């Protein structure tokens, strides 16, 4: 899968508080690994993720081999959006 680095960062910044911990918990990985996926570079506390960034517009093009973190982040955003759209009781 290909996505721009800026799009990837926008997704991370749109996630509700606690989402990094939730993603890490659900996937059984370190929180720092999730942060590294979204562009952090603190590898001593988390794993290097299977993404490659190529120079280009919008921060470059990111090639993602394993989309589980991104898929779960998008699911969390959808859940959050649905909660905001639901009328309160």
């Amino acid at each position: 899968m290909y996505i721009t680095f800026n799009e990837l960062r926008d997704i991370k910044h749109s996630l509700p508080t606690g989402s990094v911990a939730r993603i890490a918990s659900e996937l059984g990985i370190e929180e720092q690994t999730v942060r590294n996926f979204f562009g952090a570079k603190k590898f001593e506390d988390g794993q290097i993720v299977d993404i490659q960034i190529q120079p280009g517009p919008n921060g470059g093009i990111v090639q993602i081999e394993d989309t589980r973190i991104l898929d779960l982040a998008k699911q969390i955003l959808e859940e959050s959006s649905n909660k905001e759209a639901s009328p309160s009781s």
Side-chain angles (χ1 to χ4, degrees), residues 31-61:
E31 287 184 33
Q32 190 59 49
T33 301
V34 177
R35 290 184 194 97
N36 290 345
F37 178 87
F38 287 107
K41 293 183 170 113
K42 190 173 181 186
F43 301 119
E44 60 272 3
D45 294 333
Q47 298 297 314
I48 297 173
V49 291
D50 194 13
I51 65 171
Q52 297 177 14
I53 302 174
Q54 302 169 8
N58 296 312
I61 303 299

Side-chain angles (χ1 to χ4, degrees), residues 63-77:
Q63 180 181 355
I64 303 171
E65 295 296 326
D66 183 350
T67 63
R68 291 179 300 154
I69 292 173
L70 182 60
D71 294 339
L72 190 48
K74 288 180 177 180
Q75 177 185 328
I76 291 169
L77 287 174

